[in-house]
Amino acid sequence: MRPKSVILGERLSLLAILLLVVLAALGWNDTVAQAGVGIAIFANVLLIGLFLLATLWTTRLASRIGLGLLIVMTVLNLLGFLYQVSVGALAEGMFGVLTAVQAAASLVAVVMLLRPNALAWYRAKAEENEA
């Protein structure tokens, strides 16, 4: 049975992914104007797909590789968010608020997935798979 921290981490990560979808939709016209339709589709599908894949690997299969990927992607996401804040480029209005909430949700999700009971669950699942 999955620990509560893994379940909460999964839910927060899925919330962050849902917010990525909303942000992609809200920023679609700007992204297409800057990069074109093909790159906009590729970038959004890749980002959202990798976050979803890493979340499901981590929370459903107890994958340490998935957890590592999720940590790396969350750190990169947070660095991008903090860079936007530091140079004053964070969007105003609802887009900026959703960006901040998305970054916070993904950070808290990873923190929940790194709690001691979650780490013990990953270890126990790894031992089960080895046996």
Side-chain angles (χ1 to χ4, degrees):
M1 182 151 156
R2 297 183 307 155
K4 287 183 182 181
S5 64
V6 172
I7 294 168
L8 182 57
E10 178 183 51
R11 289 178 182 166
L12 287 168
S13 188
L14 292 174
L15 171 65
I17 293 166
L18 176 63
L19 289 173
L20 280 176
V21 172
V22 170
L23 289 166
L26 289 175
W28 180 256
N29 290 335
D30 291 337
T31 305
V32 169
Q34 290 177 5
V37 174
I39 292 176
I41 291 171
F42 177 76
N44 283 314
V45 168
L46 181 66
L47 179 66
I48 293 165
L50 284 176
F51 262 110
L52 184 60
L53 187 63
T55 297
L56 295 177
W57 273 350
T58 303
T59 61
R60 297 296 171 148
L61 301 177
S63 169
R64 292 180 186 179
I65 294 171
L67 180 61
L69 179 61
L70 195 57
I71 290 169
V72 168
M73 291 180 59
T74 299
V75 167
L76 292 174
N77 184 33
L78 289 173
L79 290 175
F81 172 74
L82 292 174
Y83 176 76
Q84 289 177 356
V85 170
S86 71
V87 299
L90 186 64
E92 295 179 0
M94 185 56 75
F95 196 88
V97 170
L98 291 177
T99 301
V101 172
Q102 189 279 331
S106 64
L107 174 62
V108 175
V110 166
V111 169
M112 296 307 296
L113 294 171
L114 290 173
R115 292 188 45 102
N117 60 345
L119 295 175
W121 180 69
Y122 302 138
R123 278 192 299 277
K125 288 300 238 179
E127 290 172 4
E128 282 178 21
N129 291 338
E130 288 177 1

